[in-house]
Amino acid sequence: MAVCIAVIAKENYPLYIRSVSPQNELKFHYTVHTSLDVVEEKISAVGKSLGDQREFYLGLLYPTEDYKVYGYVTNSKVKFVIVVDSANTSLRDNEIRSMFRKLHNSFTDVMCNPFHTPGSPIQSKAFDEIVSGMMSQSA
Amino acid sequence: MESLTLSDVEQKYYSDLFVYCDTDNTKKVASYGRVLDLFRAAQLPSEVVIQITELCGATRLGHFGRSQFYIALKLIAIAQSGLPLRVESLNSVKDLPLPRFVVGKNEAETRHVALYQDPDSQGLYPASAAALIPRPPGRGHQNKKVPTSASAHPVHEAVQPTAPSIETQQAEPTSPVVSPHQSPPTSPPSWRKHKRQHSGGNADRQPVVAPAGVVWTQFREKQTAPVAGDGLWASQSPPLPGQESWVSFTADTPPSSTVPGAHPSSVQESTTIRTPMGPAATSTTNEIQRQSSGYDDPWKITDEQRQYYINQFKTIQPDLTGFIPGSAAKEFFTKSKLPILELSHIWELSDFDKDGALTLDEFCAAFHLVVARKNGYDLPEKLPESLMPKLIDLDDSAEVPESTPDVGFSGSPTEVTPNKSPSMPSLTQAWPEMNQSNEDTAIVHPVPIRMTPSKIHMQEMELKRTGSDHNHPTSPILAKPEVSEEVKLSVPATMKFVPANAAGDGYSSSDSFTSDQEPVERQRSQSGASPEALKVVAPPPPPPRPHPSHSRSSSLDMNRNFAAASAPGQPQPAAIAFPPAVPPRPLPTQSSVPHTGQRAEADGATGAGAALTTTSPQQIPQQPNFADFSHFQAFAASEQPSSLPEVDKHSDPGQGDKSSEGAGPLRTVKSDGQADERTPITVNSTKGSSGPLAPPPKPIRRRLKSEDELRPEDEQHVPQKPNIIAAALAAQPSIPRSVGKDKKAIQASIRRNKETNTVLARLNSELQQQLKDLLEERISLEVQLEQLRPFSHL
């Protein structure tokens, strides 16, 4: 259902961005970039108390007219951003969460690959497949 | 026809050629036309060819049987080496080089060559461009390009730059010289696999490929040689399509038993990296080529291959059931010179359980894929079934590993367990069932290998939502014996939790759940971290949670211990309820009240006496035995107060009389006092007991009870002090009983004993003081008596 899925590294550069349609790609890139601010804000707000495990799922970062942006951050400050079409109102929070979980899992698998250097763009086919699976639904 | 003895090498070579020529696929007859082409490729004058044909008997037969064919080949070799063609020379000539067939004989062939060359052209161009002159050995693909370019040259002049072709031609003669020493048949089998992938078009390709294939073979050998020698794994993808023809070829190629001579000294470059690997690699690759058996399954690993892989595995990890960490595997496979991207993909395919480490099966699969890739096979999208690692440990081996992309979160508990079976069928469906099952199983924690923080998180969330139900489904799983290291690590941890939490409620289970999660997570991350320093997704915050649960469990255990210990033990309560002397302290304050009520004169002595009395009064309501004590106590108490006023008023003779009479009335008073005192004292004692002294009376009661058990009733008349002391002493024997039970109880009893001792010592001193006073009074009384006596005489 996602229109665009992005994986952003700790240093806030993209490891992986994929959009459904190539035309709007630039727009989505921009959207994801601006959503990083919101992500940072949410991270810094929560992580005050020690031992309080920060929630991974950040929820709706911000909605616009056309789409909604959801965020998810891992323990290692790797961020996942999903942009969803607003018209698609059938998506519930749980589904978004499950999408993030899937992303996280496949991201972990990519990291497990010794041939993959963390911080380098993700070129895993398995990861691509999963992302496509999530995106193709939205057509 | 004379019998023909062929060397092994020759045998292989000839059989390959025969198969190649066997267009009719009858496996017995070589088609005349093809054979002739082949002979022509030998670059012999046609008369020689005809002569050879006659000699081998094909002319007679009209076709080439296998034997004829072999003879013909041998004759060709003889002819090429310049020897006269004679039948006798067939067997007499030793060390005959293999017949050489040069590509580029006819246009048809070259055309075909060009056809299949097109896909290769891209590779060709750069190869040829880069190849340049001295074919660096090991650049097998360049070599192979060379002949094809040479063949194509006549047709497509533009195809190849002339320079390389020249070089090619120059090089060409040299290469065949080198290569034939190696057994050609080894290469064709490798392409057998390829046949599957390039179905159809074989027929067309074959003629084309044939000449190229022949050269191919030779170059292939050369390639393998340098490969072997150098350990270089030059990628050879382009040539592969050309090898197709060899595929059919190899049907009846007797597998060469060994290729010991396969890697002769033709090593042109010193091996740097993989010298040990080199010969092994060659043999391996040869073996692989030879033995990639089964038209049915191109990805099957043969036994020899598997053995080789196992040996290689051992060099990295001696324990066959252990893991190869990701970093070691990375180094190992990087030596194969495949691009990192491909290696990454191979890893993705072969690391089945996604744990960043390779088991033996995974390693074999990965190795096999690498070899295949080096031989030019495209990597599959999914891991072929024959390469799937066997599920070693779990019962879930029954489940066919399917790579479930959705490592079901909801179902994660079960999915977790099998280390090797990453794919459990999506557990989301199974989830609801699990919720209802096993209500009474203890909390167990999924020991997911793939625990990602998200999973934990999710599980935690679900856990909080659904309570202990989550834990139950995991318990049976956890109960299964697991081989995975993480599991092993976590199982002990979780097992600890199990008993502790068995009694726990949902909350405790959730706590243990999370705590289990964390050790598991940590363990998983540790196992992942060691091979993979790269693993960015860190384990969850390692909280000291196990400790609280440990403490909880331990506390539970301790409680149980205590309970257990105390159950058999009345001595324990006795020991616990030990200090008899403690209560007396507060008693004086209380008992002083009745005494002050009773006697106007209340002082420290009274208080002391009252202390004595109060101790006994406490005992009074509880023990009839001590009622007698109270007699004495009351007596003593009454005596003191009475004696005190006497002392005070010693100067008063009336009081002296009183004092003399005091003994009598004292007695009566005592008895009355006893009755009087008893009741108020009992009241007080009850009050006292009801007061803050409530706890102490209980222990005292118990102590008294134990004392009763210990001492018969004839001790009733023992005065209070000895009573107290006796009580203390009596309680002490109970201590040894408890000693054996509980250290803490012992220490507590020791403490109490000490307290008792101090109290008794104090009492002792007080009583001694009283004794002194009494003695003084007595003396004074006697003096008075003496003084009064003379008067009485009057």
Side-chain angles (χ1 to χ4, degrees):
Chain A
M1 320 296 179
V3 180
C4 168
I5 291 178
V7 178
I8 293 129
K10 183 166 77 167
E11 294 83 11
N12 289 333
Y13 63 85
L15 294 176
Y16 182 91
I17 293 189
R18 182 120 149 244
S19 313
V20 157
S21 59
Q23 303 95 322
N24 294 336
E25 198 145 2
L26 192 59
K27 182 178 86 176
F28 290 136
H29 282 227
Y30 174 71
T31 307
V32 168
H33 184 77
T34 53
S35 67
L36 285 179
D37 277 337
V38 187
V39 171
E40 285 287 323
E41 178 193 333
K42 287 200 188 246
I43 296 177
S44 60
V46 177
K48 289 306 177 191
S49 53
L50 299 171
D52 176 37
Q53 189 177 14
R54 187 180 58 235
E55 184 88 0
F56 288 155
Y57 176 68
L58 301 175
L60 183 67
L61 297 178
Y62 70 92
T64 66
E65 305 167 355
D66 303 330
Y67 44 80
K68 304 184 210 147
V69 181
Y70 293 90
Y72 180 99
V73 71
T74 70
N75 262 342
S76 51
K77 303 283 181 72
V78 174
K79 306 154 186 85
F80 299 102
V81 176
I82 293 183
V83 182
V84 177
D85 200 351
S86 283
N88 196 344
T89 53
S90 63
L91 272 183
R92 272 164 296 144
D93 196 52
N94 270 342
E95 293 178 20
I96 305 279
R97 280 181 196 263
S98 71
M99 282 165 71
F100 275 126
R101 245 176 271 123
K102 265 195 238 173
L103 270 179
H104 197 164
N105 275 340
S106 43
F107 177 75
T108 311
D109 293 341
V110 169
M111 280 299 147
C112 274
N113 191 332
F115 299 102
H116 176 268
T117 323
S120 65
I122 297 175
Q123 282 157 333
S124 151
K125 290 190 196 161
F127 192 79
D128 286 341
E129 274 177 28
I130 290 191
V131 170
S132 321
M134 285 201 268
M135 294 205 311
S136 63
Q137 302 157 22
S138 66
Chain B
M1 298 300 297
E2 292 181 5
S3 61
L4 191 60
T5 55
L6 297 173
S7 67
D8 284 348
V9 172
E10 286 178 345
Q11 176 76 16
K12 283 177 228 152
Y13 190 39
Y14 293 170
S15 58
D16 286 345
L17 289 172
F18 184 82
V19 174
Y20 155 61
C21 289
D22 191 9
T23 49
D24 294 339
N25 213 13
T26 58
K27 297 189 173 79
K28 280 182 196 162
V29 177
S31 71
Y32 213 43
R34 180 72 62 79
V35 170
L36 284 180
D37 289 341
L38 190 66
F39 290 168
R40 251 177 267 130
Q43 288 181 335
L44 296 170
S46 52
E47 308 87 27
V48 177
V49 171
I50 293 167
Q51 193 178 5
I52 288 172
T53 318
E54 281 175 320
L55 275 175
C56 73
T59 323
R60 270 188 288 119
L61 293 175
H63 60 270
F64 278 93
R66 188 180 274 276
S67 53
Q68 284 83 37
F69 189 71
Y70 288 174
I71 292 166
L73 289 174
K74 187 115 191 202
L75 287 173
I76 289 171
I78 292 170
Q80 282 177 342
S81 56
L83 299 173
L85 283 179
R86 274 198 210 101
V87 177
E88 300 82 13
S89 60
L90 276 176
N91 286 330
S92 56
V93 178
K94 311 282 186 225
D95 299 328
L96 195 64
L98 291 174
R100 297 184 295 273
F101 301 93
V102 179
V103 183
K105 321 177 275 250
N106 50 13
E107 282 194 5
E109 288 167 358
T110 54
R111 209 185 320 121
H112 286 282
V113 168
L115 275 180
Y116 87 88
Q117 201 178 28
D118 283 341
D120 303 336
S121 58
Q122 318 165 13
L124 274 177
Y125 282 122
S128 53
L132 292 192
I133 299 62
R135 268 166 292 114
R139 290 287 167 236
H141 55 281
Q142 296 170 6
N143 291 344
K144 74 173 177 246
K145 306 290 195 298
V146 163
T148 56
S149 65
S151 61
H153 186 63
V155 179
H156 304 275
E157 294 184 353
V159 171
Q160 296 298 332
T162 52
S165 65
I166 293 171
E167 253 112 31
T168 307
Q169 286 161 3
Q170 287 171 359
E172 211 178 301
T174 60
S175 62
V177 174
V178 178
S179 56
H181 288 289
Q182 303 176 18
S183 63
T186 58
S187 66
S190 65
W191 313 129
R192 204 181 320 186
K193 285 190 230 170
H194 221 49
K195 176 193 178 187
R196 309 288 317 276
Q197 300 182 6
H198 300 263
S199 57
N202 282 354
D204 292 339
R205 296 250 186 138
Q206 274 177 359
V208 168
V209 182
V214 176
V215 185
W216 262 114
T217 325
Q218 296 165 349
F219 284 107
R220 180 96 191 89
E221 302 321 311
K222 185 167 163 63
Q223 287 164 12
T224 53
V227 164
D230 304 341
L232 295 176
W233 297 24
S235 67
Q236 308 153 13
S237 28
L240 284 183
Q243 297 296 329
E244 247 182 280
S245 63
W246 291 98
V247 177
S248 59
F249 209 97
T250 60
D252 42 351
T253 303
S256 50
S257 51
T258 53
V259 193
H263 29 81
S265 48
S266 59
V267 176
Q268 302 185 17
E269 278 184 5
S270 60
T271 66
T272 52
I273 306 170
R274 304 245 262 154
T275 326
M277 180 73 182
T282 318
S283 62
T284 314
T285 48
N286 287 339
E287 287 168 3
I288 291 167
Q289 295 154 7
R290 221 180 317 126
Q291 287 148 21
S292 55
S293 60
Y295 291 94
D296 47 343
D297 187 0
W299 295 105
K300 207 164 175 187
I301 304 180
T302 65
D303 290 335
E304 289 191 31
Q305 289 173 338
R306 182 166 283 279
Q307 195 51 47
Y308 178 72
Y309 298 155
I310 291 175
N311 291 339
Q312 287 297 308
F313 185 93
K314 279 190 197 151
T315 61
I316 307 178
Q317 160 72 278
D319 179 17
L320 286 184
T321 61
F323 293 90
I324 290 187
S327 50
K330 176 178 181 176
E331 287 172 33
F332 184 80
F333 288 116
T334 311
K335 292 187 213 161
S336 71
K337 300 278 195 282
L338 284 181
I340 295 287
L341 192 56
E342 295 188 8
L343 289 173
S344 178
H345 187 61
I346 288 175
W347 176 277
E348 269 182 19
L349 289 176
S350 57
D351 185 8
F352 208 52
D353 45 8
K354 307 284 180 220
D355 59 354
L358 295 181
T359 66
L360 182 58
D361 279 335
E362 291 173 346
F363 177 82
C364 292
F367 207 134
H368 201 61
L369 287 170
V370 167
V371 166
R373 189 74 187 117
K374 293 219 61 102
N375 292 333
Y377 287 92
D378 292 327
L379 293 178
E381 289 300 315
K382 293 260 172 11
L383 194 64
E385 279 209 13
S386 54
L387 291 181
M388 288 209 172
K390 318 277 180 307
L391 300 173
I392 299 178
D393 24 317
L394 295 185
D395 322 336
D396 306 298
S397 56
E399 304 180 28
V400 176
E402 351 158 46
S403 50
T404 47
D406 181 343
V407 185
F409 302 103
S410 47
S412 52
T414 42
E415 124 191 352
V416 166
T417 43
N419 214 353
K420 308 292 192 299
S421 63
S423 57
M424 311 241 328
S426 167
L427 300 170
T428 40
Q429 305 92 358
W431 187 237
E433 306 159 4
M434 290 194 283
N435 279 339
Q436 294 123 25
S437 66
N438 297 329
E439 288 294 323
D440 44 345
T441 49
I443 296 162
V444 164
H445 222 332
V447 189
I449 294 163
R450 297 199 47 186
M451 277 305 267
T452 59
S454 60
K455 261 200 218 171
I456 296 177
H457 178 63
M458 190 258 23
Q459 281 166 341
E460 283 179 16
M461 281 162 37
E462 290 202 19
L463 207 77
K464 286 167 194 162
R465 269 184 263 128
T466 63
S468 60
D469 284 349
H470 285 258
N471 299 323
H472 297 156
T474 65
S475 60
I477 295 153
L478 247 197
K480 291 181 195 166
E482 294 186 357
V483 176
S484 72
E485 52 193 18
E486 289 104 1
V487 174
K488 275 184 202 157
L489 287 171
S490 53
V491 162
T494 50
M495 290 316 286
K496 277 186 228 158
F497 294 131
V498 167
N501 295 321
D505 55 10
Y507 281 105
S508 62
S509 65
S510 67
D511 285 342
S512 68
F513 183 87
T514 52
S515 54
D516 286 336
Q517 289 260 5
E518 270 116 12
V520 170
E521 181 72 17
R522 240 180 294 132
Q523 285 143 14
R524 181 191 180 217
S525 62
Q526 282 164 13
S527 68
S530 50
E532 276 282 76
L534 312 177
K535 187 164 177 188
V536 176
V537 180
R545 291 230 192 117
H547 301 305
S549 56
H550 272 297
S551 61
R552 202 185 328 120
S553 63
S554 64
S555 69
L556 284 175
D557 291 339
M558 289 306 284
N559 289 342
R560 248 186 279 126
N561 282 343
F562 280 127
S566 59
Q570 266 187 342
Q572 266 211 359
I576 293 170
F578 185 50
V582 176
R585 241 176 270 140
L587 290 180
T589 57
Q590 294 201 357
S591 58
S592 61
V593 174
H595 283 285
T596 50
Q598 282 183 356
R599 324 238 182 217
E601 311 86 356
D603 52 345
T606 312
L612 293 174
T613 50
T614 47
T615 48
S616 66
Q618 281 191 354
Q619 300 164 13
I620 289 169
Q622 293 133 12
Q623 287 304 327
N625 293 336
F626 294 91
D628 295 328
F629 295 132
S630 65
H631 278 283
F632 295 96
Q633 228 179 14
F635 171 71
S638 59
E639 214 176 8
Q640 290 172 0
S642 58
S643 62
L644 286 173
E646 287 171 0
V647 171
D648 293 339
K649 302 169 187 176
H650 67 278
S651 58
D652 186 0
Q655 286 195 348
D657 292 12
K658 278 188 197 170
S659 66
S660 62
E661 296 169 358
L666 269 180
R667 297 243 154 65
T668 56
V669 169
K670 175 197 79 173
S671 57
D672 294 338
Q674 279 177 7
D676 294 339
E677 286 181 359
R678 213 177 299 164
T679 47
I681 288 168
T682 51
V683 169
N684 282 331
S685 66
T686 51
K687 282 184 198 164
S689 59
S690 62
L693 295 178
K698 283 181 189 174
I700 290 173
R701 216 176 285 138
R702 285 201 200 111
R703 175 179 62 80
L704 295 173
K705 281 179 191 166
S706 64
E707 288 167 6
D708 282 345
E709 293 172 2
L710 295 170
R711 295 183 302 133
E713 299 177 354
D714 55 6
E715 295 179 354
Q716 297 175 7
H717 300 281
V718 176
Q720 185 204 2
K721 284 185 242 175
N723 185 24
I724 293 174
I725 296 166
L729 290 172
Q732 285 195 1
S734 67
I735 297 171
R737 251 186 266 160
S738 61
V739 165
K741 313 236 177 186
D742 219 338
K743 267 190 187 175
K744 281 197 183 174
I746 293 168
Q747 289 166 0
S749 61
I750 289 173
R751 243 183 295 117
R752 284 177 217 116
N753 284 345
K754 285 186 184 165
E755 291 169 0
T756 311
N757 286 344
T758 53
V759 171
L760 287 176
R762 206 165 58 86
L763 265 178
N764 195 16
S765 59
E766 288 173 359
L767 291 171
Q768 298 254 338
Q769 188 65 36
Q770 287 176 9
L771 186 61
K772 275 189 213 163
D773 294 342
L774 284 174
L775 285 173
E776 282 181 6
E777 283 176 11
R778 187 186 170 193
I779 291 169
S780 64
L781 283 173
E782 286 181 1
V783 164
Q784 286 176 9
L785 193 62
E786 288 296 323
Q787 290 171 357
L788 291 171
R789 279 240 173 114
F791 288 91
S792 65
H793 285 307
L794 298 175

